[in-house]
Amino acid sequence: MSEITTIDVVASADYEIPDFNYELITNEEDREWAEYAAGSIRFDLGQAVLKVLTAGNMLMEAKSRLPHGQYLPWVEQACGLKPQYAQKLIKAAEWVNAAHERHLDQITDANTLFLLSADATPEDVRQWAMERCAAGNPPSRKEVQERKRQASSAR
């Protein structure tokens, strides 16, 4: 079995979660709930990215293990995926496996990961995103889309 790359999507020594003043919530029960909910949301969103990467790695392995001609039917019938989506999952996992994982622990949106790992994404846009992540300020999907748009109009 091939090695599956995982990333720590919640806790990172380089990333500090911005402070929210929970004292603004006067009801103690609501304040406690809000703190719990924020942590839960951050964790769950991070798990979505981790699950995308795990699925992509498993699809890569399946592609290498299944007999010729069986992979796509397996993807569609057994996994319930369209081949194009399976390819996006693989692309994301390949990109992360290529030594980018140390900065991706802050990206909590799988679509942002898909944008960054797409063949059409210029390397300078990827580099910009990694620098933003390294600085503790990961880009949003909208920011990545805008940066890609700017890069393609500059070419």
Side-chain angles (χ1 to χ4, degrees), residues 59 61-75:
L59 287 164
E61 185 166 347
K63 200 170 192 176
S64 71
R65 286 178 171 245
L66 296 177
H68 181 73
Q70 293 301 307
Y71 173 73
L72 286 180
W74 176 80
V75 163

Side-chain angles (χ1 to χ4, degrees), residues 1-4 53-67 71 74 90 93-94 97:
M1 188 155 135
S2 65
E3 183 179 321
I4 295 177
L53 297 174
T54 300
N57 279 307
M58 293 183 104
L59 287 164
M60 281 191 285
E61 185 166 347
K63 200 170 192 176
S64 71
R65 286 178 171 245
L66 296 177
Y71 173 73
W74 176 80
I90 288 172
E94 286 174 338
N97 293 346

Side-chain angles (χ1 to χ4, degrees), residues 13-88:
D14 299 333
Y15 180 64
E16 189 174 313
I17 296 170
D19 288 330
F20 174 79
N21 184 359
Y22 283 99
E23 296 302 317
L24 296 172
I25 303 172
T26 56
N27 180 294
E28 185 177 345
E29 187 176 318
D30 291 344
R31 183 174 48 249
E32 288 174 7
W33 179 87
E35 288 181 87
Y36 167 79
S40 212
I41 289 167
R42 284 190 309 271
F43 179 80
D44 290 347
L45 289 173
Q47 291 300 303
V49 170
L50 179 61
K51 289 180 186 295
V52 160
L53 297 174
T54 300
N57 279 307
M58 293 183 104
L59 287 164
M60 281 191 285
E61 185 166 347
K63 200 170 192 176
S64 71
R65 286 178 171 245
L66 296 177
H68 181 73
Q70 293 301 307
Y71 173 73
L72 286 180
W74 176 80
V75 163
E76 292 176 308
Q77 297 165 13
C79 300
L81 299 175
K82 291 186 177 185
Q84 299 88 338
Y85 188 69
Q87 189 57 36
K88 283 174 88 169

Side-chain angles (χ1 to χ4, degrees), residues 120-122 124-125 145-155:
T121 301
D124 59 326
V125 173
Q145 288 170 329
E146 181 58 31
R147 193 70 173 223
K148 282 180 75 168
R149 196 172 6 267
Q150 290 171 355
S152 55
S153 67
R155 289 187 167 90

